[in-house]
Amino acid sequence: MEMRVAAGRWTPLLLLATLLLASNLVSGSHFRYGTMSWRPIDATDTEVGQTILADPILVRHTVAFEFKAAYRRDYEWGKFFREQYRPPNVAGGTQVWKDGGSCYTEDSCSVLGISNPSNYMLFPFIAQGFYVGWEIKLAVGRSYFELNVTGPNANDELSDTRRPCVSPFDTGDKPLCRGGVPSGTQYPTTQIDPTTNCVGSICAGSLVPYEITYPDFVSALTVPCEQVDDAEPDYCSPWSQTYGFFFGDSDTTGIPLSTDVVLEITEMNYEVTNVGNYLLGTASFYHTYQEAGVPKKKKDDFTPWTAYFTGGNRLTYSTDRLINNHQGRFRLELTVNLNYPGEVIGKQGYVPNNSPVMTALPVLPVPYTGRSEISANGVLATFQVSGFDPDIDPEAYKGNKLESNEAVYYFLGSQRKMGMLLANQVPDLKFPSRWFRAEYEEARRDCYLSSCIPVGGVADPFILVGTGANLIPAGVNLTVGQTFTPDPLNAAHNAFATFKYEGTCSECAGGNRTCTQLREEGPSGITIETPLNFTCELYEPWDNNVNLAHQPERLYLDRYSGVVQWETGINPRDVDNATYVTDFWNHRDPGDETKVTYAKRLAAKGTQPSPEQEPLQPGFYNVVFDVRSYSHDPDCHLKVYDAATLGSISPHTGKAFTLPAPGNGGLYTEAQCKAVDDENMIDIAYVSVPLDFLLFLYPPASWCSKSKCRNTQAGITTFRDEGFYGTQNDVNVLSTGSCTICGGGEWNLYDVSAAGLTDKQLNLTDYTVCLQDDDCKYDFDTVAITPAIEADICKRNTPPKWVDQASAGNDDGNTPTPRLADRPTWSTLRVVPSDPTSALASDPFIDGVPIENVYPGLALFLGQRSSEVRFNLTAVDEDDCVEMQILPIGLFMGYTMYTMTEDGLTKGTQACTYKDATKDRNCIYNMKLELIRRIGTTNQFYRTFIWKANDTLPQIQDPRPPNVIVCFIPFDNYQIGVRRCVNIILSKDQALFWVDARPKLRELFLSENERNDAFEEIVSKCGLSVTGPNLKHYENPCEYTPADLTTFYISPGQTLEFYMTAMQDSGNPPIGIYISEGGTMRANGTVGPPEGATFEYLEYDDKSGKTHLRDPAKRRFTWTPKEGQQCKYVLCFIGNNTRELEESIEFTSTFFWTRPFVPIPALLDERCYTIVVADQQLDMQAGSFVDAAAALPSLTSDCGMTFSMWFYPEGTTTMSLATFGYTKPGETDNIVYMLEWDPVTAVVFHDGITVQDLGQYYRLKFSTGQSYIIQTDAEFCVNEWHFLTFTIAPNGNFVLYLDGVETTHYSDDDRDFHVVAVETGSMPVVDGKVEIIGDILNNNPGYTGFLRIGSFDAVQTFNGMIGDVRIYSRVLTAEEIGAKQFVPLTATSEVGLEAYYKFNDGSQADNTLGNSVGQFNKYRALPPDTADSFCNLAGDTYCNNVAADSPAGPSETEMKAKGQLVTDLSGNGNHAAGCGPDACSTTSTMYFVFAPSPITHPCPEETLPTVVHVDGGNPIFVAGTGFARSQWLKCSFSMSDGSIKVIKAVHNTTGNISCVSPGSPDLTVSALEVTNGGVNFFTNFQLPIYMMERVVSFPETGGKVTIKDACDMIGTNLFSMGAWVYPLSQSSSALEDVISLIGMTSNDQTGLLSVRYNGARFVVYEKIGSTVTPPLGESSAAPAHNMGEGSGWHYVMLSGNTDRLVLYMDGESTELTATSISLSTCDLELGTTTTGRRAFFGYVEELSAFSGFLEACDAYQIMWGN
């Protein structure tokens, strides 16, 4: 970025120390912000008076206005402009209005010398909230006085200013009568409208007309004169002097109706800063619209009423630094149209139309933001306009729209709506103001002539001396502002045109000069004269875009989102020459991305504008927005608009109207009238309200670190703080503690070119030099301060952010989170996918912009009707110090809601009165925010949103709109964060239905009482007979949801498409449709479609010209499987009455249809489908073939040829496989090559006693037309797949391969042995080359070649299947043949491939099912007789109607192949065809069938069993799809040592095979894979096989294993017994018997020696008879399952002799008390079932017993299997 001073952009002005005592300056210094709205009244608006309330007609024509404005607090209220004030009324009395001579009454007017300064009100601070409820009267008047009639004067002339002037350029002053003519003589109008850019009489259209409503009207082009030119208005009150509120209609005398506005103060800001120090107030008042006393809903058929409030001038440039529109007139203008449907309040269904409602901060701070930065809402400096339309659509209660509230559209206000006129004082503060062009040009000329005085004191009046070469002739001299007009009688003028001399700044070489003096009365009556400088660059010739009201430069407003983007530059001093960080777009409709009418890319990413744009000045900017919503006026499209009579130019915007569509008879269409986003649509189509406020542009601020700075001294004074930040605390703002302001935030009237402002003040660098001023005082004084340390100390302010919920819809106390799926997908700017696992979604940046900043999206809150809505809005500011506000936008009030009938229709009566909702605040249905709270000592703050309900009302009668959007913004007093909008949906307990052909569904949604337009739209193209014989449900003509358990068959390369459509009875959107089971598990834990498939939302049109994410919802599943995806996929789909990220869905909480509405488990509402991706083969019987002759001419002796094919023979006689030949004209077929499958007589062994038939075997035979024969041995079988290949080399060498080459089979001593045949020979050669079929055809043009794959004719037939035919125009080597045998080809990688047929061409387009949609099969899993016989709504199947039900599965005769195209996949276009009826035998058949071949990738799904013994030998059955009857069918098992063991498999069915598990060297989990081709195992489908040892499992209820007579083998005096033991019990309440010797002693007593477990250790006991001795000892710790370190398996051995008894446990030995037991006979028991002894709970394996004592070393060896 280049850093340099911006030259010539703006220059310093004098900063005045005091304000002028001139009325227009003072009045202009106090207006900050204003907006207005209106609403119709109802019977509860008692303030309007009983006279109106008693008359329904008057009620229908009366509106209530809401006015909001902010003014400077300490302005001298009561001094000027008839303003008055008073404190709140007290009980029993009314307070008196006060003023200090403001002329509210002429007697008190200060102009007449009765001013009383002691009555000026500055609203000084007394206490917070003290002035709330005080009132200020903003009167109607002109200058100091009322609008009235004065006179007559001495000439009997009246001055009538009761009518405000229509044109802003009308002075209202009559011209002087000249030459003794009488008063009222008509003179031509001379006032000019400069917006026409015309000057003088040459532009008659630029003249300001004299209106017909003015006194003494004769013509629009003439004005009556007066005898004395008093320079005062005579017939209308000019815009430059008029103030007050005007309704737009007139009384019976034609006088416009107006009112004084009483502003009630609601907030007082005492911060003596530029963005503070204001009072904010509201005013409510009523008006009944009329024309000449007759109530009217609008002015005329195509013109609404225009109401406006106008007042004093805006801020000044010199004292307040208002950059644009300084000292301009403000004009808040709105339109009122009462011609909406509905006539009588109380009538059922009546809902009136309200205007939009706007809100804003009086002054909005905006930091400089360059093109390389990303601000809160995207590129450049941005903020968002805040407003909403409180109208609630009654149809929304039924639920056919996304939102109940109507959309609003945002436009920049026109010059007229900004007030049009500016003071244009030359120089600034020089009075009077120059409102009009001629006055400005004269004042500018005067300053030019007087300001440039050289050092010598001689005046330099900017005289242009004519030379004949400088646009004027010699001898002509012009001063500034003079015009030269050629004299037609002067020949010296012939070469010159009219020229006006404006002067140039270069002629004033001395720079700024004094133009005039400002005279003020100072202390002690001393007159002070202050020079007013003239800066010639600032006072350029009149420019409508400068000298009339105008928006800030380079400011863009998005009409849909209200996002404002402002290209400010990087700071006040330097040029921003960086490239744009992203595309810079405007007017993107987030609700409908297909609407690109107004979308405009203002700059492209990576571009750099040329020429470079200079930065904007810091300080105040005025901005006015024109916000619109639909008027609902039916006249718009029902009445003819005559543009010739009514006009084609909007008086409000000055732009041409959008006129009716051609050919529509002068009528607008309804769609045009609803297109409120068209800025130039006729006024009657919309309702418009204003928003007028200030922006404050400033360098971003920085604070000193709270942890490293002392923050005890005030730092830089910014536009809003006196050196400290983080100190404000009140009911709206909470702070975290004081930080010194150490950089930026500065503003003053300074000269940036003179280095009057430091880098610190501008915050231009990553660190500041604040420490040099000792403002922050680094805590570690001994440390040298470096730039790096400073960067860590002085931290730039960042905007606050929302603290989002962890996942959308999960109420964890944080802010409701936008769903990625609902962000727009504008491909022109970025792609934000609905799939959160896509590459774009996983990247936190889209085109370099953080996703959360690109578009805030909608957060979703799901609530219940008649239940309270409550959620938190939590924001965080990562700065060291914070002053946090969380502000609402558009909270709905109860007066906009209407009571409901028992049927859910609006009654037309309000749920709350306006007074209850707004003033008394006791309406239960008002939305509200609780006070802001801080979370502990963190920088997080929250406010709780509450929307209460009457929980005693039935849900259907809840008056709250069921689907609204409310918005909020976080603000830290310097920067505003991203707006967060929450879509609140209030649902009834309701059903959710899959939309399909069930007649009961049609009855529900298309009944007369509950007719649903959305459902009707879905089924409109289906006709009434949705289950009739001519319309099968599997055709899916209505994009119906398929029946539950439907099965789809599809082949690789073909496309499957179906729709999931769901809706609810009440229609409360949005509905989400998700894959709940099956599919692909994604990284974020959600379930997605299979790889390559899409599952996208589609939206229905609500007939308003805009689509919505709404109810019903439709989502389209589309998939074109690729090679390698052959498998069976089971996908389940579920509908939910929300739309959010899948990971937050609770899939067990959807609703199902019962009456009354009762939620039942979601699985009953789930629909599951099977998708089988399978290869197709060609099935031939009784004489059919494929004609594939197109490739033959390419098979020549130049490179030879190769022919390969897979075939599956089923017959037992000789069958032809492929025949090459040609036909001469008039002759029979000539065979060149023929391949045949030939049976061989069975081999019989006869030993004289028995006959042994070895079966029939087959061989492959190749012959030529010359009877050349080569054949294989007869070693092959039918009913399994075979692969044949033959090659012919140019030299005649011939090779015939059957079932591959030597490298593709196993040796004959392998149990997987199979036969491979390779036969070689030679063919006749002529002139060194063999003649191949292509040579014959190419050398004989009259010959017709043929290649018949399959049967040759009706005699030489083929029965079976063929698949994967390859034809090459070269010789493949044996290695190539072996490598390609089991691999589908990639045509683009093959050399010499002339034709490639896979036979995946089967289609249902022409079959007995009538399915004409899609190249796939669709089947029902349930036969018709199990369908729902009642055809009700509770089942997911269709009616018991055979004609409407699909077959259970595919049949072999569905996909006809006769006469059908067989696609060549080589890319050469050598397509083949199934033989037609003329060529094939009439009895032959040929079909495409779904069947696997050895090339097909099999798809194993599950095994039985899954656990086998490690030693192998267990049969394993594998279920799945795509198992071919192939001699190469194999299973492979991975071993723990990395090796692979391959086992031949047995084919049972295409869905089941079996193989025997191999042994493994150790315990392992093996990956089982399957191949149809013996090689190329497909690793995408691996199943785990657990190779384990076997153990004994002892249940908790008891179990026992007994080894009888163990003492006979091991004895009891010299023995050892041990085992691996895995205890599961953690209980220590009793001892569990693990290993015991139990039997009889020599004296016939019972004896027991036992190892037991006590939950933590093994304990040894003995028992003789009934005597129980103490434990003989116990082991060290042996934790049970899941009981910490060392838990699990333990090796336990008890070893004894006559002297010792030792317990070994996990290798450690414990000496025990020697046993005294001696058993003569005994059994060895594991566990026990004996009553009174506790059973062991766990596992035991590898028991060993020895007749000897084992030492520790021996026990350790045995423990590990040695």
Side-chain angles (χ1 to χ4, degrees), residues 1127-1423:
C1127 197
K1128 180 172 73 175
Y1129 302 82
V1130 178
L1131 296 179
C1132 295
F1133 300 85
I1134 196 166
N1136 204 349
N1137 61 347
T1138 178
R1139 181 176 294 183
E1140 52 192 303
L1141 297 181
E1142 285 93 330
E1143 59 260 37
S1144 63
I1145 295 295
E1146 174 55 59
F1147 285 114
T1148 60
S1149 60
T1150 54
F1151 295 103
F1152 191 77
W1153 177 264
T1154 56
R1155 282 198 185 275
F1157 296 103
V1158 177
I1160 63 175
L1163 290 179
L1164 297 178
D1165 204 30
E1166 189 176 49
R1167 290 209 170 174
C1168 295
Y1169 309 117
T1170 299
I1171 302 173
V1172 179
V1173 182
D1175 284 336
Q1176 294 180 27
Q1177 316 299 334
L1178 197 59
D1179 184 273
M1180 300 176 169
Q1181 304 291 330
S1184 55
F1185 61 85
V1186 171
D1187 186 356
L1192 294 181
S1194 62
L1195 308 181
T1196 68
S1197 57
D1198 291 339
C1199 295
M1201 67 166 287
T1202 300
F1203 176 83
S1204 299
M1205 67 179 282
W1206 282 96
F1207 65 99
Y1208 184 96
E1210 295 175 339
T1212 58
T1213 60
T1214 298
M1215 295 185 289
S1216 60
L1217 298 175
T1219 308
F1220 298 72
Y1222 61 90
T1223 303
K1224 295 180 181 179
E1227 295 187 10
T1228 58
D1229 295 338
N1230 292 275
I1231 297 175
V1232 179
Y1233 318 125
M1234 177 177 280
L1235 289 158
E1236 295 174 283
W1237 185 248
D1238 191 28
V1240 176
T1241 303
V1243 179
V1244 177
F1245 289 95
H1246 198 305
D1247 60 1
I1249 302 174
T1250 60
V1251 177
Q1252 181 65 46
D1253 186 348
L1254 298 184
Q1256 194 169 40
Y1257 288 85
Y1258 295 80
R1259 62 189 174 192
L1260 177 64
K1261 183 166 63 176
F1262 176 87
S1263 61
T1264 68
Q1266 290 75 33
S1267 299
Y1268 174 87
I1269 295 176
I1270 190 170
Q1271 61 191 17
T1272 67
D1273 291 335
E1275 300 176 294
F1276 301 91
C1277 300
V1278 292
N1279 296 321
E1280 63 182 19
W1281 283 98
H1282 298 280
F1283 183 67
L1284 72 83
T1285 303
F1286 74 85
T1287 65
I1288 302 176
N1291 62 4
N1293 288 343
F1294 173 86
V1295 185
L1296 178 65
Y1297 304 89
L1298 182 58
D1299 290 345
V1301 296
E1302 291 295 332
T1303 59
T1304 65
H1305 83 297
Y1306 297 83
S1307 61
D1308 54 10
D1309 62 354
D1310 192 296
R1311 68 177 183 176
D1312 293 329
F1313 168 78
H1314 70 265
V1315 178
V1316 170
V1318 180
E1319 305 293 340
T1320 60
S1322 60
M1323 300 184 69
V1325 175
V1326 178
D1327 295 331
K1329 283 190 175 182
V1330 68
E1331 187 174 45
I1332 298 179
I1333 179 66
D1335 298 320
I1336 298 173
L1337 297 176
N1338 295 333
N1339 295 331
N1340 299 277
Y1343 290 9
T1344 301
F1346 62 81
L1347 167 54
R1348 296 175 185 171
I1349 302 173
S1351 303
F1352 173 66
D1353 54 25
V1355 177
Q1356 294 171 285
T1357 66
F1358 172 75
N1359 296 330
M1361 293 183 291
I1362 59 173
D1364 225 67
V1365 173
R1366 303 125 179 234
I1367 303 175
Y1368 288 86
S1369 58
R1370 68 180 182 90
V1371 176
L1372 268 64
T1373 65
E1375 291 76 10
E1376 288 181 292
I1377 293 170
K1380 298 177 187 294
Q1381 178 176 349
F1382 299 109
V1383 180
L1385 299 183
T1386 301
T1388 56
S1389 303
E1390 295 296 317
V1391 177
L1393 181 66
E1394 302 296 339
Y1396 180 35
Y1397 308 112
K1398 281 186 64 66
F1399 305 107
N1400 279 345
D1401 300 285
S1403 169
Q1404 261 41 55
D1406 181 21
N1407 59 30
T1408 56
L1409 295 178
N1411 188 355
S1412 60
V1413 180
Q1415 293 184 331
F1416 58 89
N1417 297 317
K1418 184 176 179 182
Y1419 305 99
R1420 281 276 309 283
L1422 298 178

Side-chain angles (χ1 to χ4, degrees), residues 393 400-403 592 674 1013-1014 1017 1099-1111:
D393 188 342
N400 281 331
K401 289 190 176 182
L402 172 66
E403 302 164 24
D592 183 2
K674 290 182 178 180
D1013 294 339
E1017 176 190 342
E1099 310 304 341
Y1100 290 105
D1101 192 344
D1102 70 351
K1103 301 180 182 178
S1104 68
K1106 181 177 179 180
T1107 57
H1108 295 290
L1109 306 178
R1110 64 170 198 157
D1111 181 358

Side-chain angles (χ1 to χ4, degrees), residues 75 115 203 339 383 656 848 902 1003 1044 1113 1154 1157 1486 1660 1705 1727:
Y75 157 71
S115 175
C203 293
N339 194 49
F383 58 92
E902 294 179 356
E1003 290 179 19
D1044 193 29
T1154 56
F1157 296 103
M1486 183 164 52
V1660 179
M1705 198 282 296

Side-chain angles (χ1 to χ4, degrees), residues 1070-1087:
I1071 289 177
I1073 302 173
Y1074 309 97
I1075 298 176
S1076 56
E1077 298 178 57
T1080 302
M1081 288 302 297
R1082 300 183 289 201
N1084 63 353
T1086 63
V1087 181

